[in-house]
């Protein structure tokens, strides 16, 4: 299997919370991460703009301003070239398909969706470790999300052939020479993904 085939995007998931402007819901996503730091991340599911949900709940969205406010969210999302398809669902909710590939530098921080709207971060460190971490949700925020009809339900996977030092996956499955770490999200209080690997030096592509 070539590296390009290994990193070919699938149709899958990602995560998290009110620490970001966007909340994932009804989603499937996957991060494929090689032991050298190459990655492919895919997501298919809903993204909900949290501030507008509070505006709806507070009665601040009116027939006069609703279209403009939702159009502004749409414009914010479509400026990201990694979003390959987007459909309006209504009330600040958009169904999106997201695909991005890259290679982490020796020291680098990258994020899904992006640095200022972080749902999942990938941090490469000088010591060769790569930390994958999703934002968590406080119990009070989870209760508020439930009141707003946001379940944050979905599944996230990390597929890797790297040396995994730590993880909190609910399930681990072998897949050839790879391991698949699975997080099943039932609600906003479900455990959010954390995984740490130790990267191997790549003799073909030195950092």
């Amino acid at each position: 299997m070539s590296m390009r085939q290994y990193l070919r995007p699938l149709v899958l998931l990602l995560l998290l919370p009110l620490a970001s402007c966007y909340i994932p819901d009804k989603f499937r996503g996957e991060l494929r991460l090689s032991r050298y730091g190459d990655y492919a991340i895919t997501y298919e599911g809903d993204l909900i703009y949290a501030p507008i949900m509070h505006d709806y709940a507070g009665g601040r969205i009116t027939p006069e301003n609703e279209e403009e406010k939702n159009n502004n969210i749409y414009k914010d999302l479509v400026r990201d070239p990694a979003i390959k398809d987007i459909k309006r669902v209504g009330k600040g909710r958009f169904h999106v398909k997201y695909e991005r590939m890259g290679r982490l530098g020796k020291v680098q921080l990258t994020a899904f969706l992006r640095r200022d709207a972080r749902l999942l971060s990938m941090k490469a460190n000088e010591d060769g470790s790569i930390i994958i971490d999703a934002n968590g949700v406080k119990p009070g925020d989870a209760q508020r999300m439930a009141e707003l009809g946001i379940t944050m339900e979905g599944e996230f996977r990390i597929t890797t052939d790297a040396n995994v030092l730590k993880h909190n996956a609910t399930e681990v499955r072998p897949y050839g020479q790879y391991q698949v770490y699975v997080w099943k999200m039932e609600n906003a209080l479900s455990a959010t993904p954390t995984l740490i690997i130790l990267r191997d030096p790549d003799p073909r592509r030195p950092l």
Side-chain angles (χ1 to χ4, degrees):
M1 179 185 294
S2 69
M3 182 59 67
R4 185 173 183 82
Q5 289 173 316
Y6 168 71
L7 292 173
R8 187 176 60 231
L10 304 179
V11 178
L12 309 346
L13 108 76
L14 246 318
L15 323 79
L16 299 273
L18 298 181
S20 168
C21 293
Y22 292 98
I23 303 168
D25 197 17
K26 305 183 187 309
F27 60 85
R28 288 180 62 83
E30 185 176 46
L31 170 65
R32 289 193 166 195
L33 179 65
S34 83
R35 64 183 185 271
Y36 304 124
D38 299 280
Y39 69 86
I41 188 168
T42 58
Y43 174 96
E44 182 173 6
D46 291 352
L47 289 177
I48 304 163
Y49 188 64
I52 201 173
M53 296 298 291
H54 291 287
D55 288 343
Y56 274 109
R60 292 181 291 276
I61 301 298
T62 66
E64 291 75 25
N65 67 20
E66 182 175 27
E67 182 176 1
E68 179 184 2
K69 288 184 176 293
N70 279 275
N71 281 341
N72 288 339
I73 303 167
Y74 179 87
K75 291 175 183 177
D76 179 60
L77 288 170
V78 297
R79 67 189 176 93
D80 189 335
I83 291 184
K84 306 304 180 183
D85 187 54
I86 181 170
K87 294 182 175 64
R88 301 170 191 260
V89 178
K91 292 190 174 182
R93 183 186 289 260
F94 298 83
H95 187 85
V96 305
K97 292 182 180 179
Y98 179 100
E99 299 176 359
R100 194 174 93 214
M101 301 172 66
R103 185 173 192 252
L104 290 167
K106 186 175 182 180
V107 178
Q108 183 181 352
L109 174 66
T110 189
F112 164 79
L113 292 166
R114 55 181 185 264
R115 295 280 290 271
D116 65 345
R118 188 182 306 173
L119 301 175
L120 186 82
S121 65
M122 295 182 284
K123 183 181 180 183
N125 300 302
E126 184 78 32
D127 63 4
S129 65
I130 296 176
I131 300 173
I132 311 301
D133 196 30
N135 292 330
V137 176
K138 297 177 181 178
D141 290 337
Q143 177 62 34
R144 183 59 174 158
M145 288 166 61
E147 293 171 358
L148 296 173
I150 303 170
T151 61
M152 243 180 73
E153 179 184 359
E155 183 178 293
F156 180 67
R157 299 183 180 192
I158 297 177
T159 300
T160 185
D161 60 350
N163 175 21
V164 174
L165 303 178
K166 179 182 178 181
H167 72 87
N168 67 340
T170 53
E171 183 181 353
V172 182
R173 305 170 185 168
Y175 182 69
Q177 62 182 314
Y178 309 108
Q179 295 290 317
V180 182
Y181 298 81
V182 182
W183 290 261
K184 293 184 180 295
M185 310 290 296
E186 296 181 356
N187 53 56
L189 292 177
S190 297
T192 59
T194 295
L195 184 140
I196 302 174
I197 73 165
L198 186 62
R199 173 158 51 184
D200 289 351
D202 187 348
R204 301 165 299 170
R205 300 173 62 188
L207 292 173

